[in-house]
Amino acid sequence: MRWLVTGGRGMFGTDLVLLLQERGEDVVAVGSAECDIRSLDAVRDTMRDFDVVVNAAAWTAVDDAESHEPEAFAINATGARNVALVAAETGARMVHISTDYVFDGTATEPYAPDHPQAPRSAYGRTKAAGEWAIRTTNPDALIVRTAWLYGEHGPNFVKTMQRLAGQHDTLNVVDDQIGQPTWTKDLAAYVVELVTSGKPGGYYHGTSDGTTTWCGFTREIFRLSGWDPERVKPCTTADFPRPAPRPALSVLRHDAGPAVRRWDAALAEYLVACDH
Ligand SMILES: NC(=O)c1ccc[n+]([C@@H]2O[C@H](COP(=O)([O-])OP(=O)(O)OC[C@H]3O[C@@H](n4cnc5c(N)ncnc54)[C@H](OP(=O)(O)O)[C@@H]3O)[C@@H](O)[C@H]2O)c1
């Protein structure tokens, strides 16, 4: 199969491209300089003769989106629509990466794939608009929601906590948001499995098994790094006001897709991989 990855030089896109290369697949990665997905012409010029296109391109700056919603919309909604439209025209299978931010985060149980979207942030609104645009343009597309991503090829929460650990005796970390930390390498394997197993179009939830809070996640980073986890102190969302509201519950229910391992097992392997 011939794969195209738009946003192929981002944190997730890079891990996906590396996995496909390891598997001997024919894969082309494009960044915004080669294919700006906001332009339908650029997408049409790039998307020739591919069997699968994975759209990993996005405006991902959640807080900045609050003051730049039209710019975020142009990429997350119009851009996603452009890729979906050309995939439908050319017969390529589309995979699109979306987010838990399409939900309001106030539920008391994990979100099912068909739970109604109710975004509370500008970023979430633009990603939800992208999902709708894809569903109406290309119902065969696989829309994979993920959350709390970290990976070797981009700035992320794990790297930030490791850096802060070297600068402070104790760290206050939010303990009232619950989620599923997910390694981009595990998400890449999930996407490849989804495509090669021929799953039908629709929504899928590509996050780790198990749940924790940001504080619990940080304590595990400390424990696995040989540092005292008691240096990590719990605090609340209210202690860290941010421009975009954060979902209290970012836990996605795994109904139809391939299984993903537990978040703490993945974190342990990630930290070893980063050491080498
Ligand atoms: N990070 C998370 O915690 C998280 C959580 C849930 C969902 N997601 C979703 O997961 C996906 C991947 O996220 P990530 O963390 O890997 O993001 P990332 O590292 O920020 O990568 C996004 C890529 O999008 C590309 N891009 C931006 N504007 C573009 C445009 N106009 N045309 C084409 N490409 C453009 C950028 O390419 P250039 O560098 O070439 O400009 C960048 O490499 C996104 O859809 C995101 O919404 C992420």
Side-chain angles (χ1 to χ4, degrees), residues 10-12 31-32 35-37 57-58 60 97-98 123 127 146 149:
M11 183 169 71
F12 163 68
S32 60
C35 177
D36 185 332
I37 63 167
T60 53
I97 308 300
S98 194
Y123 169 73
K127 293 292 283 187
T146 190
L149 285 186

Side-chain angles (χ1 to χ4, degrees), residues 112-264:
D114 61 355
H115 193 95
Q117 291 106 320
R120 291 172 59 230
S121 62
Y123 169 73
R125 283 191 293 275
T126 63
K127 293 292 283 187
E131 291 188 354
W132 279 108
I134 293 167
R135 292 293 286 154
T136 52
T137 315
N138 187 340
D140 195 36
L142 301 155
I143 298 176
V144 177
R145 298 193 187 108
T146 190
W148 291 31
L149 285 186
Y150 62 92
E152 285 175 74
H153 309 286
N156 64 69
F157 183 82
V158 181
K159 290 181 185 176
T160 302
M161 291 302 121
Q162 287 174 317
R163 179 172 45 77
L164 292 176
Q167 297 170 350
H168 304 278
D169 289 340
T170 61
L171 297 183
N172 294 330
V173 185
V174 171
D175 200 34
D176 57 0
Q177 294 170 25
I178 306 172
Q180 299 155 308
T182 302
W183 187 7
T184 44
K185 214 168 158 176
D186 283 2
L187 178 61
Y190 180 96
V191 163
V192 172
E193 175 66 22
L194 210 53
V195 172
T196 54
S197 62
K199 291 282 187 198
Y203 294 113
Y204 293 87
H205 285 170
T207 47
S208 295
D209 195 17
T211 65
T212 187
T213 65
W214 292 114
C215 181
F217 187 25
T218 310
R219 285 191 166 148
E220 190 63 4
I221 296 165
F222 270 57
R223 195 185 68 76
L224 290 165
S225 304
W227 310 322
D228 181 4
E230 291 306 314
R231 288 173 56 201
V232 182
K233 310 291 181 195
C235 70
T236 67
T237 304
D239 294 328
F240 275 103
R242 304 290 292 268
R246 264 45 184 179
L249 189 84
S250 286
V251 180
L252 304 182
R253 208 169 84 191
H254 304 137
D255 287 5
V260 181
R261 65 180 148 176
R262 274 189 60 89
W263 68 270
D264 40 5

Side-chain angles (χ1 to χ4, degrees), residues 11-29:
M11 183 169 71
F12 163 68
T14 302
D15 267 340
L16 176 64
V17 169
L18 289 172
L19 176 66
L20 289 167
Q21 286 170 341
E22 265 170 38
R23 291 170 57 106
E25 300 278 355
D26 185 354
V27 54
V28 174

Side-chain angles (χ1 to χ4, degrees), residues 20-89:
L20 289 167
Q21 286 170 341
E22 265 170 38
R23 291 170 57 106
E25 300 278 355
D26 185 354
V27 54
V28 174
V30 286
S32 60
E34 300 112 310
C35 177
D36 185 332
I37 63 167
R38 293 173 296 183
S39 158
L40 184 57
D41 287 346
V43 174
R44 282 206 175 107
D45 283 349
T46 306
M47 275 179 62
R48 295 172 194 269
D49 301 327
F50 289 98
D51 302 301
V52 185
V53 55
V54 181
N55 181 34
W59 175 296
T60 53
V62 171
D63 286 324
D64 288 350
E66 292 297 314
S67 50
H68 294 88
E69 191 164 352
E71 293 91 330
F73 188 95
I75 302 170
N76 294 348
T78 309
R81 195 278 314 224
N82 289 342
V83 176
L85 184 66
V86 181
E89 286 170 1

